[in-house]
Amino acid sequence: MNGTQTKIYAHNLPETDGDFYTLGLLIERRLTADEALRAAGCLGYALAKMNGETLGEPVSMVFTPASTYLTFWFDSTKCHRSSYSFEEAFAEAARMIEQGTPVRTTNRAGAGTAGTRLVQGIGPVALTLSLDVDVDAGPRPTPPRVSAAQRALDEAAARLNEAQQAYAQAAIAYAGAGL
């Protein structure tokens, strides 16, 4: 090897013993919007093997400086679980989020598609998948900290703006009085 090591990330994947209607996907890295949609696509691809309802677009996407949180509506009661369990689907989804969907072996999807992936992965990430989440819950971005100097500068700018407006009003009134 060339001295570099592949970093192994932990995946917290739920065990399911009942039905669920919402999913939460927490990725321990701030993603771009494109990466977030690719992660959602990989999760949807893995769940499609359940032959049920499709995953669809995320209901919400929250981007914080250190993580990305996606929530989805998903009715698990519409899935067939005879040969493929949710636990297997979640484990496969975690792998696909990192590596991408399986490599196509034929050109059935169009000329030149053999050897490509439907959805590219986003690379190694730590992730947590939760069931029956509150779609309005999850991490919320914190507003950036404003320093005392920035606050003082903003207040001075507001006072300057008020003074300029007062000057403009006085100039208009003076010009009107001279007529």
Side-chain angles (χ1 to χ4, degrees), residues 69-142:
Y69 186 68
L70 310 172
T71 56
F72 305 88
W73 297 115
F74 185 79
D75 186 354
S76 70
T77 63
K78 297 180 180 175
C79 295
H80 303 283
R81 304 172 211 189
S82 58
S83 63
Y84 190 69
S85 71
F86 280 112
E87 288 82 6
E88 292 170 308
F90 296 149
E92 189 168 358
R95 184 189 55 75
M96 284 186 211
I97 288 170
E98 290 183 12
Q99 301 169 8
T101 56
V103 175
R104 296 172 172 145
T105 57
T106 68
N107 283 322
R108 274 191 312 217
T113 57
T116 65
R117 298 177 188 271
L118 176 63
V119 181
Q120 295 296 317
I122 62 171
V125 291
L127 60 88
T128 301
L129 190 63
S130 306
L131 306 177
D132 281 331
V133 297
D134 179 359
V135 295
D136 294 326
R140 294 288 178 233
T142 55

Side-chain angles (χ1 to χ4, degrees), residues 56-70:
E57 295 290 320
V59 174
S60 68
M61 296 193 300
V62 178
F63 300 91
T64 68
S67 65
T68 303
Y69 186 68
L70 310 172

Side-chain angles (χ1 to χ4, degrees), residues 120-171:
Q120 295 296 317
I122 62 171
V125 291
L127 60 88
T128 301
L129 190 63
S130 306
L131 306 177
D132 281 331
V133 297
D134 179 359
V135 295
D136 294 326
R140 294 288 178 233
T142 55
R145 298 178 100 184
V146 177
S147 68
Q150 181 65 47
R151 197 171 16 259
L153 183 61
D154 291 344
E155 289 170 3
R159 285 193 309 271
L160 177 60
N161 188 31
E162 290 172 5
Q164 287 174 334
Q165 288 177 355
Y167 173 79
Q169 291 297 324

